[in-house]
Amino acid sequence: METSSFPIDFIDDIVRRTGKEVGIPIKEASVFKYDVLLSYESEDNRENFIELLDGELRSSKFIPFKAENNGVDGEEDGTSELMDAAISRSRSSIIVFSRNYAYSPRCLDQLLKMFEYSTETKRLVIVPVFYQVSKDQIKMQAERLAALLPGMYKKQFEWEKVERWKEAIKGVAQLPPAVAFEGAATKRHLKLIVEAIEEKADRRPRKQQQKGQLAPLFKHKSK
């Protein structure tokens, strides 16, 4: 039976117990497949911002996951089995808030799934980016979108779901942003986002150490 057929939590438990038995403190299992999950509204992807960010992450040796390029875009509820698996196997998530992000039920479902997973498990680090939205508008935008949601979606979705969307938007919008900007994305914006990921979410191990030693589960930045 292939390892991928086992639930992630089951694998995590084995890794943690094995580490404890051999005297290695393990805070997280080394089962992460992606370093960064990118959540965004494709209609707002102007100036190839997502592609530029994806390239910057890859040049910094991160492994990103983009929903659009992995068969997730177009899912009615935004939380297909593939998306669920990507969330559970990602160390961090960059949520790119933009003008139309909260108008997409697919994005809202992804946001809710990531927010609840992060809150419950503490395994997923969420880093918000406010794309073409000023820093002063961050809180205002979150409050405005939260206020608009019931009227926008009450005829299409259950009230309980809309309320959960509202809480997820407000919860994520209150997190420290990596960057917020109104104009075109610059190289500096991209570097600030990558630096936020480096600071908030340690990288997964890249290579096993030589001579049978175990690779460290975390790679910290040099001071």
Side-chain angles (χ1 to χ4, degrees):
M1 182 179 293
E2 296 180 358
T3 303
S4 60
S5 64
F6 289 101
I8 294 298
D9 290 341
F10 176 73
I11 300 173
D12 286 354
D13 185 58
I14 293 176
V15 173
R16 289 192 185 93
R17 285 190 285 111
T18 302
K20 185 177 180 180
E21 290 175 3
V22 299
I24 301 174
I26 297 178
K27 296 180 180 179
E28 296 184 45
S30 57
V31 295
F32 293 103
K33 184 175 181 180
Y34 309 105
D35 293 308
V36 187
L37 189 156
L38 293 174
S39 176
Y40 58 95
E41 171 50 46
S42 57
E43 291 183 3
D44 282 346
N45 182 20
R46 300 176 181 86
E47 303 153 358
N48 295 318
F49 173 65
I50 297 299
E51 284 69 23
L52 292 172
L53 178 56
D54 179 78
E56 190 72 21
L57 289 165
R58 292 181 185 277
S59 67
S60 298
K61 308 305 180 185
F62 285 108
I63 301 175
F65 176 95
K66 293 196 302 179
E68 265 197 326
N69 289 351
N70 289 278
V72 177
D73 192 54
E75 291 288 340
E76 291 184 0
D77 64 355
T79 53
S80 65
E81 291 184 5
L82 179 59
M83 188 65 189
D84 288 348
I87 291 172
S88 67
R89 300 202 67 179
S90 296
R91 188 178 293 281
S92 65
S93 172
I94 294 175
I95 296 177
V96 182
F97 282 113
S98 54
R99 299 177 210 173
N100 295 310
Y101 187 91
Y103 293 89
S104 166
R106 174 182 58 80
C107 287
L108 288 172
D109 272 322
Q110 291 178 11
L111 174 71
L112 176 62
K113 187 76 175 180
M114 288 183 285
F115 178 70
E116 292 185 341
Y117 183 80
S118 176
T119 301
E120 293 170 4
T121 68
K122 311 299 182 184
R123 283 169 50 92
L124 181 71
V125 176
I126 296 177
V127 177
V129 168
F130 291 84
Y131 174 56
Q132 297 189 338
V133 177
S134 71
K135 192 170 184 179
D136 292 337
Q137 291 176 315
I138 292 175
K139 185 174 181 180
M140 184 187 302
Q141 182 198 43
E143 292 296 334
R144 181 172 178 272
L145 291 175
L148 287 173
L149 282 177
M152 289 165 54
Y153 296 118
K154 65 182 180 181
K155 294 182 179 179
Q156 297 174 262
F157 302 99
E158 294 181 2
W159 181 264
E160 184 270 340
K161 187 170 190 177
V162 174
E163 287 297 309
R164 288 167 64 201
W165 279 348
K166 287 168 58 178
E167 291 304 310
I169 286 178
K170 289 190 289 186
V172 174
Q174 290 173 357
L175 296 173
V179 66
F181 58 97
E182 293 182 88
T186 66
K187 189 72 172 178
R188 178 175 175 274
H189 291 136
L190 299 174
K191 287 187 176 299
L192 287 173
I193 296 171
V194 171
E195 287 174 2
I197 294 297
E198 289 178 333
E199 177 184 350
K200 298 176 185 297
D202 295 304
R203 303 182 184 188
R204 60 191 297 241
R206 298 301 175 195
K207 296 180 180 179
Q208 290 287 347
Q209 293 181 354
Q210 299 298 320
K211 300 181 180 179
Q213 295 178 350
L214 290 174
L217 291 180
F218 302 105
K219 180 179 180 181
H220 296 281
K221 289 174 57 180
S222 300
K223 301 295 183 182

